Amino acid sequence: MAGANNYKNQSKNKIDLEYGKVPPQAVELEEAVLGALMLEKDAIISVGDLLKVDSFYKDAHQKIYKAIMNLSTKEEPIDILTVTEELKREGTLDEVGGPFYITQLTNRVASAAHIEFHARIIAQKHIQRELIRVSSDIQNQAFDDSIDVADLLDKAQQEVFDIAEGNIKKESAHIRPLADEVINQIVEAGKRPDGLSGVPSGFTALDRITSGWQKSDLVIIAARPSMGKTAFVLSMTRNMAVEHKAPIAIFSLEMGGDQLVKRMISSETELGSEKLRNGKLEDFEWEQLHVKIKDLVDAPIYVDDTPGLSIYELRSKCRRLKAKYDIGCVIIDYLQLMTAGSDMRGNREQEVSLISRQLKIIAKELNIPVIALSQLNRGVEQRTGDAKKPMLSDLRESGAIEQDADMVLFIHRPERYGITEDAEGNSLIGIADIIIAKHRNGAVGEIQLRFRNQLARFMDLEGESLNPFGDDGPEEVKTFSSSMNQDSGGFEDPNAGLVGGSDFEDAAPF
């Protein structure tokens, strides 16, 4: 900690010498605040969450405030005598100017009446100094050709983000305006014919449980390779953007943008991916392609296939997309391909924990659902029968994913393991179980969707139950389906794999 303070002081002095300017400061207000803290015992309550030790410009004031905070932590009285004794115990009393200086501080203020206002100014000056320090360091490093530009960008974004996270506080709110907002949301949901309050996925059974993807939620969709994770979110993206006109941002870290779009076109036009690859289309198929693709290409879908995307780059991109296009949902394919920047490389578990935590922060900050795909570990493959169904403990690389997520969904296709019939003898060919393993604000359970492998497309089953929760209520959801996007048959052997990615344009709509 001492080393970090010395570095900051060196940077501060360097700024003074180089630019001939005095860093932002309010020394007189610092004296007034410290004096007020020693005059009134409860004054620390007003400023404890506003000021840190580093918020003070003078080193002496930092030491005095640290002594005051130590006394507060120990629930001891805060006055001239106790602060002097605490500084003496720490061996810093002479460094701050001795008992005389402590006494003089209380003479500079009559009461603690304006202490919170003064503290906010001190905090603002500290933020300004930190921004100057960070920008100065970045400027110096930008002249160093040995530093990788991508790493420098990551560091710049992270340091500015750390300043914001550490200093900008949100005030507590009374329950009444929050309750009014919730009531308005309920009223608006009631006006909609589907009764949904969030962004609809387009899968009727799923939407009945979730009421649509909810604002500020982090949703994790996980499965083993080739279960159809990408196909699932692409089908969902199409439903959200085409049917419900919701602007959607897709960050594809695995597939190139052209491959992603090709899969969406195949699903939309019902033309096999092989035909789209070789271009061997009949005249009527060309006409079918141009007619059916129109709604898709006009939909508000924004694709970014930047490889090796860091969480800080993602945050910046999401902010720009929210400001420019008012995106209603962010989809990441997939979480384990993201990085946390150069500082975290080497400890993968901590890196994934940081990524999942930041995804939740992005969802809350932009007030939109963030949907991230995730891999499962190989433990699933070693189990047999129904035991192959994924569990929360199968999430790969970090338990923080389960902890941070508001919802965790698993995709399970029994036929991938050679299971073609259920216990009642019903065919499981082309059937996908969507397992809702965690739902912070609702029910858990299972639903079933139809999967057409040739088109890499998920859709509802026919003849959906009118009561998805059954007669026993919403505690567990079993099989139910929908007439929406009904399948017309022609299921293929499910061996869909995922392909590698390529470098593409930043957030380009198609």
Side-chain angles (χ1 to χ4, degrees):
M1 184 69 181
N5 286 334
N6 289 336
Y7 174 72
K8 288 181 181 179
N9 291 333
Q10 290 172 8
S11 297
K12 179 174 68 177
N13 294 335
K14 185 176 181 181
I15 294 166
D16 290 346
L17 294 173
E18 183 176 352
Y19 296 103
K21 297 179 180 178
V22 177
Q25 56 182 287
V27 175
E28 290 184 356
L29 292 181
E30 291 179 9
E31 294 172 347
V33 166
L34 293 173
L37 288 171
M38 289 185 285
L39 282 178
E40 296 188 18
K41 64 177 183 177
D42 294 331
I44 189 66
I45 298 174
S46 302
V47 302
D49 63 336
L50 291 173
L51 298 178
K52 300 180 295 185
V53 171
D54 289 344
S55 300
F56 291 84
Y57 180 72
K58 287 187 65 173
D59 291 341
H61 293 169
Q62 291 182 4
K63 292 180 173 64
I64 296 170
Y65 187 70
K66 181 181 178 183
I68 291 173
M69 292 299 293
N70 289 343
L71 291 170
S72 176
T73 302
K74 293 183 288 187
E75 297 184 355
E76 295 182 6
I78 300 171
D79 55 38
I80 297 175
L81 297 177
T82 56
V83 171
T84 300
E85 285 300 315
E86 182 68 18
L87 288 167
K88 189 183 298 182
R89 188 186 66 79
E90 293 180 355
T92 57
L93 180 59
D94 291 337
E95 296 176 21
V96 304
F100 177 75
Y101 187 72
I102 304 298
T103 304
Q104 287 296 105
L105 289 175
T106 58
N107 292 331
R108 296 180 183 275
V109 63
S111 71
H114 305 295
I115 188 170
E116 185 173 348
F117 179 75
H118 294 162
R120 290 187 184 279
I121 296 175
I122 294 171
Q124 291 169 7
K125 299 298 182 183
H126 173 243
I127 293 172
Q128 289 175 285
R129 293 197 302 271
E130 286 294 282
L131 289 172
I132 292 171
R133 178 184 62 82
V134 168
S135 60
S136 178
D137 290 343
I138 293 169
Q139 180 181 350
N140 291 334
Q141 293 179 47
F143 284 102
D144 189 345
D145 292 335
S146 66
I147 299 176
D148 183 80
V149 173
D151 289 343
L152 183 57
L153 282 171
D154 280 347
K155 182 179 180 181
Q157 291 176 341
Q158 183 173 355
E159 290 196 357
V160 173
F161 168 74
D162 289 343
I163 292 173
E165 287 294 296
N167 293 282
I168 298 176
K169 309 295 183 183
K170 184 176 179 181
E171 294 294 331
S172 301
H174 188 269
I175 190 173
R176 179 174 290 279
L178 296 175
D180 290 342
E181 182 179 346
V182 170
I183 295 298
N184 289 335
Q185 292 173 1
I186 296 172
V187 170
E188 291 302 315
K191 292 178 181 178
R192 296 183 56 166
D194 52 18
L196 303 182
S197 57
V199 182
S201 70
F203 301 123
T204 310
L206 182 59
D207 286 337
R208 287 188 176 181
I209 303 173
T210 64
S211 295
W213 304 122
Q214 299 299 310
K215 294 178 179 179
S216 79
D217 273 6
L218 172 60
V219 180
I220 300 295
I221 300 174
R224 288 293 294 155
S226 298
M227 283 291 174
K229 297 187 297 295
T230 303
F232 180 75
V233 294
L234 289 183
S235 299
M236 192 167 61
T237 297
R238 184 265 172 203
N239 294 339
M240 292 189 288
V242 175
E243 299 293 337
H244 299 281
K245 310 303 181 187
I248 308 297
I250 305 178
F251 292 89
S252 177
L253 284 79
E254 186 173 44
M255 300 175 64
D258 55 344
Q259 295 167 324
L260 201 72
V261 173
K262 190 177 292 182
R263 289 185 67 164
M264 296 189 76
I265 290 174
S266 173
S267 175
E268 186 73 8
T269 62
E270 299 188 356
L271 297 172
S273 57
E274 183 178 348
K275 283 193 172 185
L276 295 180
R277 278 196 303 270
N278 60 36
K280 305 296 184 182
L281 275 65
E282 303 293 337
D283 289 343
F284 76 91
E285 290 175 324
W286 280 111
E287 183 178 355
Q288 179 179 339
L289 173 65
H290 289 296
V291 170
K292 289 195 172 184
I293 201 178
K294 187 179 185 304
D295 288 340
L296 180 65
V297 298
D298 289 338
I301 302 174
Y302 305 92
V303 179
D304 186 312
D305 64 352
T306 304
L309 189 68
S310 77
I311 187 65
Y312 302 106
E313 290 174 318
L314 175 73
R315 186 182 182 120
S316 297
K317 288 171 181 283
C318 287
R319 283 172 169 170
R320 290 198 299 268
L321 288 166
K322 179 67 175 178
K324 189 172 183 179
Y325 302 112
D326 193 25
I327 53 172
C329 181
V330 169
I331 297 173
I332 299 112
D333 183 13
Y334 61 92
L335 186 151
Q336 279 82 6
L337 290 179
M338 294 190 69
T339 66
S342 57
D343 293 342
M344 289 292 294
R345 285 170 192 163
N347 189 328
R348 187 56 184 163
E349 183 175 351
Q350 289 184 10
E351 189 173 15
V352 172
S353 297
L354 174 64
I355 291 168
S356 67
R357 209 162 41 243
Q358 292 301 320
L359 288 177
K360 175 59 182 175
I361 290 172
I362 292 171
K364 192 171 181 180
E365 177 190 337
L366 301 183
N367 199 30
I368 59 175
V370 171
I371 301 172
L373 301 190
S374 177
Q375 291 281 21
L376 297 176
N377 59 44
R378 291 188 178 90
V380 177
E381 310 293 339
Q382 299 169 3
R383 303 196 291 261
T384 59
D386 283 345
K388 284 187 177 294
K389 285 187 175 182
M391 301 178 291
L392 289 172
S393 58
D394 295 321
L395 285 168
R396 184 175 166 185
E397 292 184 317
S398 177
I401 298 175
E402 173 189 347
Q403 176 182 323
D404 295 327
D406 296 282
M407 288 187 69
V408 178
L409 282 69
F410 297 120
I411 302 174
H412 176 65
R413 289 164 51 208
E415 61 180 328
R416 289 287 297 151
Y417 299 111
I419 304 172
T420 57
E421 291 184 350
D422 62 16
E424 286 75 32
N426 299 315
S427 174
L428 295 176
I429 303 297
I431 298 295
D433 295 325
I434 308 299
I435 303 166
I436 304 172
K438 177 184 179 182
H439 191 184
R440 187 165 282 157
N441 301 306
V444 298
E446 296 181 23
I447 66 168
Q448 286 186 338
L449 297 176
R450 180 74 70 188
F451 178 68
R452 294 189 64 183
N453 179 72
Q454 186 183 26
L455 303 178
R457 178 179 177 184
F458 282 80
M459 55 189 64
D460 289 337
L461 293 173
E462 303 86 348
E464 183 189 21
S465 166
L466 293 178
N467 180 10
F469 298 120
D471 297 330
D472 299 326
E475 189 63 32
E476 180 180 355
V477 182
K478 296 302 288 184
T479 304
F480 46 95
S481 53
S482 167
S483 58
M484 184 178 180
N485 294 331
Q486 288 185 0
D487 182 24
S488 58
F491 307 115
E492 299 293 329
D493 183 28
N495 288 308
L498 299 180
V499 292
S502 64
D503 196 2
F504 227 57
E505 291 295 324
D506 177 15
F510 62 88

PDB file of all heavy atoms in Angstrom, residues 193-206:
ATOM      1  N   PRO A 193     -50.791  -8.362 -25.039  1.00  0.00           N
ATOM      2  CA  PRO A 193     -51.596  -9.575 -25.202  1.00  0.00           C
ATOM      3  C   PRO A 193     -50.887 -10.829 -24.714  1.00  0.00           C
ATOM      4  O   PRO A 193     -51.531 -11.782 -24.280  1.00  0.00           O
ATOM      5  CB  PRO A 193     -51.853  -9.636 -26.717  1.00  0.00           C
ATOM      6  CG  PRO A 193     -50.804  -8.767 -27.337  1.00  0.00           C
ATOM      7  CD  PRO A 193     -50.525  -7.699 -26.328  1.00  0.00           C
ATOM      8  N   ASP A 194     -49.533 -10.839 -24.793  1.00  0.00           N
ATOM      9  CA  ASP A 194     -48.794 -12.014 -24.341  1.00  0.00           C
ATOM     10  C   ASP A 194     -48.460 -11.963 -22.856  1.00  0.00           C
ATOM     11  O   ASP A 194     -47.973 -12.940 -22.281  1.00  0.00           O
ATOM     12  CB  ASP A 194     -47.506 -12.200 -25.148  1.00  0.00           C
ATOM     13  CG  ASP A 194     -46.649 -10.929 -25.188  1.00  0.00           C
ATOM     14  OD1 ASP A 194     -46.868 -10.055 -24.332  1.00  0.00           O
ATOM     15  OD2 ASP A 194     -45.775 -10.823 -26.066  1.00  0.00           O
ATOM     16  N   GLY A 195     -48.685 -10.810 -22.208  1.00  0.00           N
ATOM     17  CA  GLY A 195     -48.430 -10.688 -20.783  1.00  0.00           C
ATOM     18  C   GLY A 195     -46.965 -10.684 -20.403  1.00  0.00           C
ATOM     19  O   GLY A 195     -46.625 -10.854 -19.233  1.00  0.00           O
ATOM     20  N   LEU A 196     -46.067 -10.468 -21.358  1.00  0.00           N
ATOM     21  CA  LEU A 196     -44.630 -10.508 -21.079  1.00  0.00           C
ATOM     22  C   LEU A 196     -44.139  -9.139 -20.618  1.00  0.00           C
ATOM     23  O   LEU A 196     -44.569  -8.113 -21.119  1.00  0.00           O
ATOM     24  CB  LEU A 196     -43.855 -10.952 -22.315  1.00  0.00           C
ATOM     25  CG  LEU A 196     -44.244 -12.306 -22.925  1.00  0.00           C
ATOM     26  CD1 LEU A 196     -43.356 -12.631 -24.107  1.00  0.00           C
ATOM     27  CD2 LEU A 196     -44.157 -13.402 -21.872  1.00  0.00           C
ATOM     28  N   SER A 197     -43.198  -9.156 -19.678  1.00  0.00           N
ATOM     29  CA  SER A 197     -42.640  -7.909 -19.169  1.00  0.00           C
ATOM     30  C   SER A 197     -41.220  -7.666 -19.660  1.00  0.00           C
ATOM     31  O   SER A 197     -40.682  -6.584 -19.482  1.00  0.00           O
ATOM     32  CB  SER A 197     -42.635  -7.927 -17.632  1.00  0.00           C
ATOM     33  OG  SER A 197     -41.913  -9.043 -17.150  1.00  0.00           O
ATOM     34  N   GLY A 198     -40.591  -8.676 -20.269  1.00  0.00           N
ATOM     35  CA  GLY A 198     -39.227  -8.555 -20.764  1.00  0.00           C
ATOM     36  C   GLY A 198     -39.155  -8.728 -22.265  1.00  0.00           C
ATOM     37  O   GLY A 198     -40.167  -8.644 -22.974  1.00  0.00           O
ATOM     38  N   VAL A 199     -37.930  -8.983 -22.757  1.00  0.00           N
ATOM     39  CA  VAL A 199     -37.718  -9.201 -24.189  1.00  0.00           C
ATOM     40  C   VAL A 199     -38.093 -10.643 -24.520  1.00  0.00           C
ATOM     41  O   VAL A 199     -37.483 -11.577 -23.994  1.00  0.00           O
ATOM     42  CB  VAL A 199     -36.249  -8.940 -24.578  1.00  0.00           C
ATOM     43  CG1 VAL A 199     -36.058  -9.124 -26.079  1.00  0.00           C
ATOM     44  CG2 VAL A 199     -35.816  -7.548 -24.155  1.00  0.00           C
ATOM     45  N   PRO A 200     -39.105 -10.878 -25.387  1.00  0.00           N
ATOM     46  CA  PRO A 200     -39.543 -12.250 -25.670  1.00  0.00           C
ATOM     47  C   PRO A 200     -38.459 -13.039 -26.402  1.00  0.00           C
ATOM     48  O   PRO A 200     -37.804 -12.533 -27.310  1.00  0.00           O
ATOM     49  CB  PRO A 200     -40.771 -12.052 -26.567  1.00  0.00           C
ATOM     50  CG  PRO A 200     -41.164 -10.618 -26.400  1.00  0.00           C
ATOM     51  CD  PRO A 200     -39.904  -9.876 -26.108  1.00  0.00           C
ATOM     52  N   SER A 201     -38.284 -14.301 -26.012  1.00  0.00           N
ATOM     53  CA  SER A 201     -37.342 -15.173 -26.705  1.00  0.00           C
ATOM     54  C   SER A 201     -37.953 -15.729 -27.991  1.00  0.00           C
ATOM     55  O   SER A 201     -37.233 -16.197 -28.864  1.00  0.00           O
ATOM     56  CB  SER A 201     -36.926 -16.327 -25.794  1.00  0.00           C
ATOM     57  OG  SER A 201     -38.013 -17.230 -25.610  1.00  0.00           O
ATOM     58  N   GLY A 202     -39.282 -15.675 -28.099  1.00  0.00           N
ATOM     59  CA  GLY A 202     -39.955 -16.248 -29.252  1.00  0.00           C
ATOM     60  C   GLY A 202     -40.316 -17.707 -29.057  1.00  0.00           C
ATOM     61  O   GLY A 202     -41.020 -18.284 -29.884  1.00  0.00           O
ATOM     62  N   PHE A 203     -39.856 -18.323 -27.969  1.00  0.00           N
ATOM     63  CA  PHE A 203     -40.239 -19.690 -27.627  1.00  0.00           C
ATOM     64  C   PHE A 203     -41.317 -19.600 -26.546  1.00  0.00           C
ATOM     65  O   PHE A 203     -41.057 -19.204 -25.416  1.00  0.00           O
ATOM     66  CB  PHE A 203     -39.030 -20.484 -27.120  1.00  0.00           C
ATOM     67  CG  PHE A 203     -37.907 -20.562 -28.118  1.00  0.00           C
ATOM     68  CD1 PHE A 203     -36.647 -20.111 -27.786  1.00  0.00           C
ATOM     69  CD2 PHE A 203     -38.123 -21.076 -29.387  1.00  0.00           C
ATOM     70  CE1 PHE A 203     -35.606 -20.172 -28.696  1.00  0.00           C
ATOM     71  CE2 PHE A 203     -37.091 -21.146 -30.313  1.00  0.00           C
ATOM     72  CZ  PHE A 203     -35.833 -20.694 -29.966  1.00  0.00           C
ATOM     73  N   THR A 204     -42.536 -19.969 -26.932  1.00  0.00           N
ATOM     74  CA  THR A 204     -43.703 -19.695 -26.088  1.00  0.00           C
ATOM     75  C   THR A 204     -43.582 -20.295 -24.701  1.00  0.00           C
ATOM     76  O   THR A 204     -43.846 -19.632 -23.694  1.00  0.00           O
ATOM     77  CB  THR A 204     -44.977 -20.222 -26.772  1.00  0.00           C
ATOM     78  OG1 THR A 204     -45.014 -19.743 -28.109  1.00  0.00           O
ATOM     79  CG2 THR A 204     -46.220 -19.772 -26.031  1.00  0.00           C
ATOM     80  N   ALA A 205     -43.180 -21.562 -24.625  1.00  0.00           N
ATOM     81  CA  ALA A 205     -43.105 -22.231 -23.330  1.00  0.00           C
ATOM     82  C   ALA A 205     -42.067 -21.571 -22.440  1.00  0.00           C
ATOM     83  O   ALA A 205     -42.286 -21.384 -21.243  1.00  0.00           O
ATOM     84  CB  ALA A 205     -42.763 -23.711 -23.534  1.00  0.00           C
ATOM     85  N   LEU A 206     -40.944 -21.212 -23.007  1.00  0.00           N
ATOM     86  CA  LEU A 206     -39.888 -20.564 -22.241  1.00  0.00           C
ATOM     87  C   LEU A 206     -40.334 -19.186 -21.760  1.00  0.00           C
ATOM     88  O   LEU A 206     -40.084 -18.801 -20.607  1.00  0.00           O
ATOM     89  CB  LEU A 206     -38.622 -20.454 -23.094  1.00  0.00           C
ATOM     90  CG  LEU A 206     -37.383 -19.842 -22.439  1.00  0.00           C
ATOM     91  CD1 LEU A 206     -36.976 -20.650 -21.215  1.00  0.00           C
ATOM     92  CD2 LEU A 206     -36.245 -19.761 -23.439  1.00  0.00           C
TER      93      LEU A 206
END
